[in-house]
């Protein structure tokens, strides 16, 4: 995949949910939508729910969709901190630009992410542990959208 596209995706992720960016107008009842545009490229992240949630991130070039990722997650236990998740997601790596890094830790929290495949077709899973106990999990999958 084009390095410019990966750079745009990472910049968009950091400017929206992970970076505590402002929501745009809801596209569906009670949805949370985050939009980032730069030139002829557009990124939209839209999700439903909070404690248990589902969502989709997608990329467009000249209003033609060409990449998307779906995700579903849930909070499993006490002590979950959304700010820690966002901090981990800000560490999104270029070689795996789906969610966060393979591992990130701070204080009593550990974030872990594993993905199989590549930018064109992938699946993955992330989790957060607090004091060794899993308190959050999310699965994701996605890849190229071909017209």
């Amino acid at each position: 995949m084009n390095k410019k596209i990966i750079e745009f995706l990472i910049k968009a992720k950091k400017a929206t949910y992970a970076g505590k960016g402002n929501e745009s107008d809801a596209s569906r009842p009670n949805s949370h939508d985050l939009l980032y545009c730069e030139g002829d490229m557009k990124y939209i992240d839209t999700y439903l729910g909070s404690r248990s949630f589902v969502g989709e991130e997608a990329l467009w070039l000249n209003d033609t969709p060409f990449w998307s990722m779906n995700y579903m997650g849930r909070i499993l236990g006490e002590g979950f901190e959304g700010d820690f998740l966002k901090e981990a997601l800000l560490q999104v790596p270029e070689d795996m630009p789906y969610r966060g890094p393979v591992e990130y830790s701070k204080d009593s929290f550990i974030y872990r992410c594993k993905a199989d495949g590549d930018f064109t077709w992938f699946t993955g899973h992330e989790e957060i542990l607090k004091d060794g106990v899993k308190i959050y999990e999310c699965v994701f999958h996605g890849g190229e959208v071909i017209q």
Side-chain angles (χ1 to χ4, degrees), residues 10 13-14 88-94 96-101:
I10 290 172
K13 287 174 171 282
K14 289 180 176 184
L89 295 177
L90 284 172
Q91 313 304 315
V92 59
E94 265 188 50
M96 196 175 75
Y98 319 121
R99 297 290 289 173

Side-chain angles (χ1 to χ4, degrees), residues 65-99:
F66 67 91
W67 182 87
S68 184
M69 177 183 74
N70 297 105
Y71 55 89
M72 183 161 194
R74 61 186 177 163
I75 297 170
L76 299 168
E78 296 302 313
F80 173 78
E81 292 184 12
D83 284 345
F84 174 75
L85 173 60
K86 290 177 181 182
E87 191 175 310
L89 295 177
L90 284 172
Q91 313 304 315
V92 59
E94 265 188 50
D95 64 334
M96 196 175 75
Y98 319 121
R99 297 290 289 173

Side-chain angles (χ1 to χ4, degrees), residues 53-122:
F53 59 90
V54 64
E56 177 184 62
E57 296 177 27
L59 295 175
W60 285 260
L61 179 61
N62 294 317
D63 289 330
T64 300
F66 67 91
W67 182 87
S68 184
M69 177 183 74
N70 297 105
Y71 55 89
M72 183 161 194
R74 61 186 177 163
I75 297 170
L76 299 168
E78 296 302 313
F80 173 78
E81 292 184 12
D83 284 345
F84 174 75
L85 173 60
K86 290 177 181 182
E87 191 175 310
L89 295 177
L90 284 172
Q91 313 304 315
V92 59
E94 265 188 50
D95 64 334
M96 196 175 75
Y98 319 121
R99 297 290 289 173
V102 171
E103 187 166 306
Y104 177 78
S105 61
K106 182 179 180 184
D107 302 325
S108 60
F109 295 97
I110 298 173
Y111 169 93
R112 292 187 183 134
C113 184
K114 180 178 182 339
D116 295 309
D118 62 27
F119 196 73
T120 63
W121 185 270
F122 61 89

Side-chain angles (χ1 to χ4, degrees), residues 18-80:
K20 302 178 184 178
N22 293 328
E23 290 188 15
S24 56
D25 293 336
S27 60
R28 297 173 284 177
N30 296 306
S31 70
H32 303 272
D33 292 59
L34 299 118
L35 169 67
Y36 181 81
C37 298
E38 192 174 281
D40 54 2
M41 294 182 70
K42 182 184 296 183
Y43 164 91
I44 299 174
D45 179 6
T46 183
Y47 66 95
L48 306 169
S50 58
R51 190 162 178 83
S52 177
F53 59 90
V54 64
E56 177 184 62
E57 296 177 27
L59 295 175
W60 285 260
L61 179 61
N62 294 317
D63 289 330
T64 300
F66 67 91
W67 182 87
S68 184
M69 177 183 74
N70 297 105
Y71 55 89
M72 183 161 194
R74 61 186 177 163
I75 297 170
L76 299 168
E78 296 302 313
F80 173 78

